[in-house]
Amino acid sequence: MNFFQYRGSELCAEEVPLSRIADQVGTPCYVYSLATLRRHYRVFDDAFGAVPHLVCYSVKANSNLAVLRAFAREGSGFDIVSGGELHRVLAAGADPRKIVFSGIGKTRDEMAYALREGILQFNVESAAELDALDDAAREAGRKAPVALRVNPDVDPKTHPYISTGMKKSKFGIDIRRALEEYERARTLSHLEVVGVDCHIGSQLTDVAPFRDALSRVRGLVLDLRARGFDVRHLDFGGGLGITYDEETPPEPRDYAAALLGDGLDKLGVKLLLEPGRVIVGNAGILLTRVLYRKDTETKKFVIVDGAMNDLIRPALYGAYQEIEPVKRSGRAAAVVDVVGPVCESGDFLAKDRELPETLPGELLAVRSAGAYGFVMSSNYNSRPRAAEVLVDGAAYHVVRARETLDDLVRGETIPETLR
Ligand code: LLP
């Protein structure tokens, strides 16, 4: 459920008409609903209420400071994958003891930064990274709390680019080799083994792969216990999908019930969860204005001011994002391609989409853009990145200003010899 709804013929974010935001802030522009962000967070957190757990919101999905602050205020922890994300969550007021650090390529500097801040857990993905972290911890005069991210080799049945838990994936340590690596970790003096971690992919719409992964990871936890490891945390990653089109993903409570029903509640671990998309995906839209119409012999194009640099999911994954007119016109529908100004044929927001006829100057809302939207945007074609707006009831706040032309060349210099 989200708070983007039509009031009369006008699409609103909570109580604010999107046309007002477009007129005052300009387009393209991301708009998030605070009530939706909070609701999604709470529904997810409550679903696991029966067991000790910590929701570590996955920052990569949407890392705007205001969004992070809203979650920090709810008591959320954070799943980060870079020093940059650590900087952001700390700036947003996160509690370092609720931060888990994932990712296969942590640099020494990033490790040192996270050690200084005293984070909850490092999710380590290779033997080489274990050694590097042990070294970094020795240098910092600390013990690094460690979980190994294991690869349980299950097929999450999602887009190949966002499947992570299969044998051929670059992620995690083969679950069959995990015991050996845990034994080695135990001998490294500046590491403290605290848990087990796994994440099998993103936009999963069925609980079966989660259950398969859990049963394998559960076996590992029991084996580790039998060998005297004090396994306190089971980090089960993120990945729960959302409805973009006609998918019917499990509700958080069904997801939780499936995991807990499989004996997780009796495992005696604190459950860490790293949801991203399910919390923020449907809490945001991309607002864009129609520039031109162009009809060719074979196609009708609606050319808008938002492009693949603003929202790359359709171009990169062939992803479906629902598009709605901000003002319902009652005009007849036609099948169109909604495309942006970027000089690539891959620059489209929708292909062969049935949409009510829209005229230049009118506004469209691209739904489900709260996750992996702004965060994946770029300056390609020297397009300033879009503004981000947070709606709270009848008020809205610009939480990231639109980039300026000067922002585009900041940091660049022309060498003396070319002057
Ligand atoms: N934890 C880890 C270790 C992850 O790699 C990810 C996502 C998450 C948690 C959060 O997963 P979520 O709950 O959001 O599914 N750009 C792609 C999605 C990439 C996901 C990467 N990892 C997209 O736009 O669909």
Side-chain angles (χ1 to χ4, degrees):
M1 188 199 149
N2 65 68
F3 295 93
F4 291 92
Q5 265 134 18
Y6 284 95
R7 293 177 176 235
S9 60
E10 171 103 45
L11 188 58
C12 295
E14 302 188 20
E15 289 157 51
V16 182
L18 289 173
S19 59
R20 191 158 98 215
I21 297 175
D23 290 344
Q24 294 174 354
V25 181
T27 52
C29 168
Y30 277 92
V31 181
Y32 311 126
S33 151
L34 181 58
T36 311
L37 293 167
R38 284 193 178 130
R39 185 189 147 82
H40 288 178
Y41 176 84
R42 287 175 191 168
V43 165
F44 192 91
D45 189 40
D46 289 350
F48 289 92
V51 291
H53 72 281
L54 177 65
V55 174
C56 296
Y57 163 70
S58 192
V59 174
K60 65 174 79 67
N62 184 323
S63 58
N64 184 280
L65 281 188
V67 170
L68 299 177
R69 166 83 75 169
F71 294 143
R73 280 232 191 145
E74 295 292 314
S76 183
F78 295 95
D79 161 46
I80 59 163
V81 291
S82 68
E85 286 190 351
L86 179 52
H87 180 69
R88 277 184 178 278
V89 295
L90 293 174
D95 177 350
R97 289 160 307 173
K98 291 184 179 175
I99 296 174
V100 298
F101 195 165
S102 305
I104 65 161
K106 302 174 195 77
T107 66
R108 284 293 285 262
D109 283 350
E110 288 174 324
M111 289 173 177
Y113 181 17
L115 284 163
R116 266 194 321 273
E117 296 296 337
I119 66 164
L120 178 66
Q121 173 174 304
F122 289 84
N123 291 334
V124 170
E125 302 216 18
S126 65
E129 189 193 337
L130 263 187
D131 292 323
L133 183 59
D134 181 51
D135 258 9
R138 178 175 307 111
E139 231 162 66
R142 310 239 172 162
K143 267 205 162 192
V146 164
L148 293 190
R149 173 168 174 182
V150 296
N151 182 335
D153 191 24
V154 299
D155 183 355
K157 303 205 163 50
T158 179
H159 192 286
Y161 286 11
I162 53 178
S163 301
T164 52
M166 290 162 80
K167 221 176 351 190
K168 61 179 194 308
S169 143
K170 70 175 179 177
F171 295 102
I173 294 172
D174 185 339
I175 195 158
R176 292 163 312 175
R177 282 208 43 246
L179 281 177
E180 193 184 312
E181 248 358 281
Y182 270 102
E183 288 295 354
R184 213 170 62 79
R186 170 140 82 171
T187 66
L188 298 174
S189 57
H190 285 76
L191 301 183
E192 185 190 7
V193 172
V194 295
V196 175
D197 170 46
C198 108
H199 168 84
I200 57 171
S202 197
Q203 183 55 16
L204 273 73
T205 51
D206 182 8
V207 289
F210 287 122
R211 296 182 63 180
D212 286 352
L214 180 61
S215 84
R216 293 180 196 190
V217 170
R218 192 173 169 277
L220 175 62
V221 171
L222 297 174
D223 287 348
L224 288 169
R225 286 257 172 77
R227 290 170 181 240
F229 285 90
D230 181 15
V231 182
R232 282 169 265 157
H233 302 160
L234 171 51
D235 183 339
F236 201 56
L240 187 57
I242 62 170
T243 303
Y244 284 97
D245 185 8
E246 287 177 338
E247 307 90 335
T248 50
E251 297 284 321
R253 65 167 178 277
D254 303 325
Y255 169 67
L259 301 186
L260 302 183
D262 283 346
L264 198 58
D265 48 342
K266 291 175 203 73
L267 209 50
V269 288
K270 180 167 186 173
L271 184 59
L272 309 183
L273 298 145
E274 303 172 353
R277 188 186 323 258
V278 69
I279 311 277
V280 293
N282 282 323
I285 59 121
L286 174 65
L287 194 52
T288 183
R289 205 180 278 280
V290 177
L291 295 171
Y292 305 107
R293 297 269 313 267
K294 175 170 168 175
D295 294 351
T296 67
E297 231 172 75
T298 48
K299 283 258 182 196
K300 289 178 190 300
F301 294 102
V302 175
I303 303 167
V304 296
D305 63 4
M308 68 187 288
N309 75 295
D310 300 301
L311 180 65
I312 203 176
R313 301 192 71 260
L316 187 58
Y317 312 115
Y320 178 99
Q321 307 262 168
E322 170 104 48
I323 298 185
E324 289 181 315
V326 166
K327 278 205 173 99
R328 278 185 177 147
S329 62
R331 292 189 207 116
V335 174
V336 300
D337 280 12
V338 180
V339 301
V342 164
C343 301
E344 297 222 20
S345 298
D347 178 27
F348 60 90
L349 297 176
K351 279 216 153 149
D352 300 321
R353 187 71 60 84
E354 195 168 302
L355 268 186
E357 194 191 3
T358 31
L359 302 177
E362 294 179 345
L363 294 164
L364 295 174
V366 184
R367 304 289 299 244
S368 311
Y372 308 109
F374 182 88
V375 286
M376 293 179 83
S377 67
S378 76
N379 291 123
Y380 188 38
N381 277 207
S382 282
R383 290 169 51 84
R385 280 182 298 168
E388 292 177 285
V389 165
L390 182 68
V391 171
D392 180 9
Y396 76 82
H397 311 277
V398 177
V399 292
R400 189 182 214 277
R402 182 179 309 287
E403 283 181 338
T404 63
L405 296 179
D406 281 339
D407 289 335
L408 289 177
V409 290
R410 179 153 302 128
E412 295 183 32
T413 47
I414 298 172
E416 201 64 50
T417 48
L418 284 176
R419 283 191 195 148

